[in-house]
Amino acid sequence: MTTDATSTTNAVMRGASGASLAGAQERFEPVLGAAGADARALGEQLFALSDALDGSGSLRRTLTDPSLPAEAKAAVARQLLGAFDERVRDLVESLVSARWTHELDLGHAVEHLALEAVLASAQAREALVTVEDELFRITRLLSGQRELRTALSDTQATLENRTTLVDTLLAGKVDDVTLLLAHRATTNLRHRRFVPNLLAYSDIAAERRRRLVAGVTSAVELTPAQLDRLAGILERAYGRPVQLNVTVDAAVLGGLRVQVGADVIDSTMLSRLADARRRLVS
């Protein structure tokens, strides 16, 4: 099941690259759900990798070379990321084993997944709405401040000067994730200036907030057909895509326990939802 949160990036990344990012996002989402607020650390490691890819054409070419065996590229990634979190290493190994239309697309994908991880950490502590609102308010604040916008996007200034300016404006006034993203927006000036970066981050946050995550607890492994049916019932009931995070727990004596936000639904209630849906469309 492909999630919405890749849509902004996939609008630019088409073909093999878009499919590779979508697949990575789908595999990474349960990892982020399990990591909770600690997903921020995963995102920061992915930002570091994105910077490394941006700074080394030879590394990009090696990791995206379709003529190299996937295992050879994975070995390069393992050596490069030896000190990184195992969850990040697993993700990157899958990324370099995928196909990319252009060598730059791998770095874009890593950057996008880093943003997803950082935003997931805010979502885990129910601060995603706050972060999205703060990003929007910062862009509004800067709309009439041309000199300030220019200073935050000035690649002739040192990175230290730009990040110090961000701290002067925002430190202690916004959520920690908002501050981290503002730092990233003035660090990552490869393709956009500071304000367009923030707007792009806000778009990803908005897309992420529209995605529902359902925690599913079952006594036994669910088959792909059962997962598809469950996802379909929930998506029709809530009117939006649902990401299933499944846990197998032998202590569950029967049926399913499904939690979507504050809603806790047992298998009987799922049947009622399905019945209600059928009555509505009949």
Side-chain angles (χ1 to χ4, degrees):
M1 185 167 51
T2 301
T3 57
D4 282 352
T6 55
S7 60
T8 298
T9 302
N10 282 349
V12 177
M13 259 195 281
R14 304 277 186 189
S17 291
S20 294
L21 174 57
Q25 173 64 30
E26 188 167 356
R27 292 188 298 273
F28 198 39
E29 191 60 35
V31 175
L32 296 179
D38 291 339
R40 171 176 172 161
L42 306 184
E44 290 179 304
Q45 290 186 1
L46 288 167
F47 281 142
L49 175 59
S50 176
D51 291 339
L53 289 167
D54 184 55
S56 175
S58 61
L59 178 62
R60 291 196 306 270
R61 287 188 290 273
T62 297
L63 294 180
T64 58
D65 187 346
S67 69
L68 288 178
E71 180 52 40
K73 291 184 284 188
V76 173
R78 283 195 297 272
Q79 183 176 10
L80 177 68
L81 305 177
F84 279 43
D85 189 286
E86 181 180 2
R87 292 165 291 185
V88 171
R89 294 199 303 269
D90 288 345
L91 171 67
V92 175
E93 286 185 32
S94 70
L95 286 171
V96 302
S97 298
R99 296 188 65 83
W100 302 95
T101 306
H102 191 280
E103 67 179 57
L104 291 174
D105 288 349
L106 175 60
H108 296 330
V110 171
E111 182 82 11
H112 184 89
L113 292 165
L115 291 166
E116 288 280 7
V118 169
L119 290 166
S121 74
Q123 189 172 31
R125 52 186 177 81
E126 300 183 351
L128 187 57
V129 173
T130 297
V131 169
E132 185 183 346
D133 180 63
E134 288 174 345
L135 291 172
F136 176 73
R137 286 193 290 111
I138 294 167
T139 61
R140 290 292 299 272
L141 172 68
L142 293 174
S143 63
Q145 303 287 334
R146 184 175 182 275
E147 290 186 5
L148 190 53
R149 293 199 312 273
T150 300
L152 289 165
S153 299
D154 184 5
T155 56
Q156 301 302 311
T158 66
L159 176 57
E160 181 181 0
N161 285 344
R162 297 199 305 271
T163 54
T164 297
L165 180 55
V166 168
D167 286 337
T168 300
L169 291 170
L170 302 176
K173 302 173 186 176
V174 296
D175 187 272
D176 286 349
V177 164
T178 305
L179 183 61
L180 171 62
L181 292 174
H183 281 160
R184 189 64 189 169
T186 199
T187 301
N188 182 26
L189 295 172
R190 304 186 300 270
H191 312 292
R192 290 183 292 246
R193 297 169 70 83
F194 180 81
V195 169
N197 271 336
L198 287 187
L199 290 171
Y201 301 167
S202 183
D203 285 346
I204 296 171
E207 289 171 353
R208 183 166 196 88
R209 192 161 55 84
R210 286 195 291 269
R211 180 202 303 142
L212 291 178
V213 177
V216 180
T217 305
S218 171
V220 297
E221 290 280 353
L222 299 178
T223 66
Q226 289 171 323
L227 290 172
D228 286 344
R229 180 173 180 273
L230 175 59
I233 292 172
L234 291 171
E235 289 176 7
R236 288 190 295 273
Y238 285 94
R240 67 183 75 177
V242 176
Q243 170 72 39
L244 300 182
N245 290 348
V246 182
T247 301
V248 177
D249 184 354
V252 177
L253 298 180
L256 299 172
R257 182 185 186 277
V258 181
Q259 183 162 354
V260 182
D263 296 338
V264 178
I265 310 166
D266 65 20
S267 54
T268 301
M269 293 175 67
L270 284 173
S271 298
R272 291 175 182 171
L273 280 172
D275 290 341
R277 174 67 182 177
R278 283 193 290 270
R279 286 195 295 272
L280 285 173
V281 299
S282 62

